[in-house]
């Protein structure tokens, strides 16, 4: 696998300061962040990260090769000027259909390179702040955490006797997050009006689709009140932030002791591992998700017994590769898939 780009020292220093401030002062709201997002070094690194991920062009058809041929520095300077003058506006997201491994298709949103760079720059600044607040049981899309960590934690808890399992699946989580409540979660930490405006614009970006004849159709936009930005770099961070409402509520309500249980979350999947109270934990979860404006996928959500796995694997620290399909029955699906992909590429 290709090595990820190293974060420049000046940016790392800023991130450490932001994280330290957020961790030390849980009620502090950051009010001067927009100027940091448009710092030349941050925009430059954001472009390099977007370039490393490559990807297709958005609705404007502009490619990385075209930007570099015309002059990357000039392109970044113009983008910075748009941000500084508050004239930046995100463009519609191009939606294409891609094949699913098991058959059928799923939609994929492709923002323009310009919008991917700005979202990446915002993520570089905002992630350390929100990271300070995320619950310890969350593993998806976080620095220095991986799918394998979620798998190992779940396996360890099963070995300790937490074998009554709620295998939970949220129905279209990324598409149904309510904007009003999400922005409340953002504003709890961010008071900079320009940054809040950026996020609101990304949430309301329309989606462009074209039919077989190339006819253009737009959907969503300002009338859309739910969902994270389609294909957006910032989407996983916002999704983690909203999921944290549920995870924090679980901790503050003392659910671990009440249900004799532990929760392991990876992105929009989670499992609750209990000692005899899985059904009660599921009922509580269903009620809380409804209050959050979210819905459990009842077809995929179930109660499972992991006692046989605990007994047969009590002498092992991690689930063996040969048993991945078995362990996938009681582990967060997305974590298992990511772990499997990582093993194949390592």
């Amino acid at each position: 696998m290709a090595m990820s780009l190293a974060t420049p020292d000046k940016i790392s220093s800023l991130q450490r300061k932001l994280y330290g401030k957020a961790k030390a002062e849980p009620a502090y709201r950051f009010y001067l962040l927009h100027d940091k997002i448009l710092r030349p070094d941050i925009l430059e690194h954001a472009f390099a990260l977007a370039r490393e991920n490559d990807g297709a062009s958005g609705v404007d058809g502009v490619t990385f090769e075209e930007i570099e041929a015309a002059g990357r520095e000039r392109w970044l300077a113009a983008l910075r000027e748009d941000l500084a003058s508050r004239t930046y506006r995100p463009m519609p997201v191009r939606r294409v259909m891609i094949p699913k491994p098991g058959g059928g298709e799923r939609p994929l949103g492709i923002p323009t390179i310009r919008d991917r760079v700005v979202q990446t720059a915002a993520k570089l600044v905002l992630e350390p702040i929100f990271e300070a607040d995320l619950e310890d049981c969350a593993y998806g899309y976080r620095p220095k955490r991986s799918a394998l960590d979620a798998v190992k934690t779940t396996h360890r808890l099963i070995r300790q006797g937490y074998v009554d399992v709620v295998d939970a699946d949220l129905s279209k989580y990324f598409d149904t997050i309510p904007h009003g409540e999400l922005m409340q979660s953002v504003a709890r930490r961010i008071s900079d009006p320009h940054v809040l405006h950026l996020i609101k614009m990304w949430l309301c970006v329309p989606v462009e689709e074209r039919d077989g004849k190339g006819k253009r159709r737009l959907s969503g936009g300002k009338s859309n009140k739910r969902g994270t930005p389609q294909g957006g770099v910032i989407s996983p961070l916002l999704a983690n932030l909203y999921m944290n409402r549920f995870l924090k509520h679980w901790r503050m309500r003392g659910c671990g002791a009440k249900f004799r249980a532990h929760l392991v979350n990876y992105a929009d999947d989670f499992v609750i591992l209990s000692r005899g109270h899985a059904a009660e934990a599921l009922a509580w979860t269903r009620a809380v998700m409804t209050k959050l404006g979210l819905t459990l996928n009842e077809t995929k959500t179930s109660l499972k017994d992991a006692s046989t796995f605990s007994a047969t694997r009590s002498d092992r620290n991690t689930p063996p590769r040969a048993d991945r399909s078995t362990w996938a029955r009681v582990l967060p699906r997305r974590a298992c898939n990511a772990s499997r992909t990582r093993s194949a590429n390592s």
Side-chain angles (χ1 to χ4, degrees):
M1 294 177 63
M3 293 293 290
S4 297
L5 288 173
T7 305
D9 290 341
K10 284 184 65 176
I11 299 177
S12 292
S13 176
L14 170 65
Q15 291 175 327
R16 286 193 297 270
K17 290 176 182 177
L18 292 171
Y19 176 85
K21 179 73 172 179
K23 201 69 175 176
E25 301 182 39
Y28 185 81
R29 299 178 72 209
F30 293 79
Y31 56 91
L32 287 176
L33 295 176
H34 190 258
D35 62 321
K36 296 171 178 60
I37 291 173
L38 54 82
R39 268 176 33 176
D41 61 331
I42 287 180
L43 287 174
E44 176 71 32
H45 187 55
F47 182 90
L49 290 170
R51 183 70 175 93
E52 184 184 44
N53 290 331
D54 203 5
S57 59
V59 295
D60 59 0
V62 176
T63 65
F64 285 105
E65 290 76 16
E66 290 172 341
I67 293 171
E68 290 170 338
R72 180 175 65 178
E73 290 76 14
R74 186 171 66 178
W75 185 87
L76 284 170
L79 177 58
R80 184 173 187 273
E81 175 58 32
D82 285 347
L83 287 168
S85 63
R86 320 282 194 258
T87 58
Y88 163 81
R89 297 292 182 274
M91 298 185 72
V93 171
R94 181 165 70 93
R95 176 180 285 173
V96 297
M97 303 302 293
I98 61 172
K100 294 172 66 175
E105 294 181 321
R106 69 175 181 87
L108 175 67
I110 306 175
T112 64
I113 292 173
R114 187 169 179 267
D115 293 331
R116 295 194 316 248
V117 169
V118 180
Q119 287 190 27
T120 302
K123 181 174 179 284
L124 287 169
V125 174
L126 298 178
E127 186 172 60
I129 296 170
F130 295 140
E131 177 67 22
D133 295 333
L134 296 186
E135 294 293 314
D136 193 53
C137 61
Y139 292 88
Y141 308 121
R142 296 182 64 182
K144 299 180 180 179
R145 291 187 169 222
S146 70
L148 187 58
D149 293 328
V151 171
K152 286 181 176 179
T153 298
T154 306
H155 178 237
R156 174 175 52 80
L157 289 168
I158 290 172
R159 290 175 58 241
Q160 292 174 358
Y162 294 92
V163 296
D164 300 299
V165 180
V166 178
D167 180 9
D169 183 272
L170 288 172
S171 181
K172 298 181 178 179
Y173 174 61
F174 286 85
D175 297 330
T176 59
I177 296 173
H179 290 174
E181 289 80 352
L182 172 61
M183 288 306 301
Q184 288 176 8
S185 295
V186 174
R188 197 182 72 79
R189 276 302 203 172
I190 310 299
S191 62
D192 187 323
H194 305 303
V195 174
L196 294 174
H197 181 60
L198 274 179
I199 296 174
K200 288 178 182 178
M201 286 196 297
W202 289 327
L203 290 175
C204 295
V205 165
V207 174
E208 177 187 293
E209 298 178 87
R210 292 186 182 271
D211 60 22
K213 297 180 180 180
K215 186 177 180 180
R216 182 173 182 253
R217 183 175 72 88
L218 289 177
S219 61
K222 292 183 179 180
S223 62
N224 184 34
K225 303 300 181 184
R226 287 180 174 269
T228 54
Q230 286 268 338
V233 178
I234 202 75
S235 289
L237 179 61
L238 296 177
N240 273 352
L241 183 62
Y242 196 64
M243 179 65 77
N244 202 58
R245 280 192 171 199
F246 168 70
L247 303 178
K248 184 177 180 180
H249 193 56
W250 166 276
R251 175 176 57 81
M252 295 188 70
R253 288 287 181 174
C255 291
K258 180 179 180 180
F259 301 125
R260 299 183 66 201
H262 293 271
L263 194 153
V264 181
N265 163 242
Y266 189 90
D268 55 342
D269 287 332
F270 61 93
V271 291
I272 299 172
L273 301 110
S274 172
R275 287 177 172 170
H277 299 277
E280 297 98 311
L282 174 56
W284 183 89
T285 296
R286 188 179 287 114
V288 173
M289 287 301 178
T290 300
K291 292 179 181 178
L292 291 173
L294 305 172
T295 306
L296 285 176
N297 185 329
E298 298 294 347
T299 303
K300 295 182 179 179
T301 298
S302 61
L303 300 177
K304 296 177 179 177
D305 179 7
S307 58
T308 56
F309 307 144
S310 175
T312 56
R313 294 294 171 189
S314 60
D315 58 335
R316 304 289 288 276
N317 291 323
T318 57
R321 293 187 182 184
D323 283 354
R324 282 274 163 81
S325 62
T326 299
W327 282 97
R329 300 175 197 166
V330 291
L331 300 176
R333 278 171 291 279
R334 195 181 292 269
C336 283
N337 292 337
S339 175
R340 193 177 296 117
T341 300
R342 177 175 175 174
S343 295
N345 292 332
S346 60

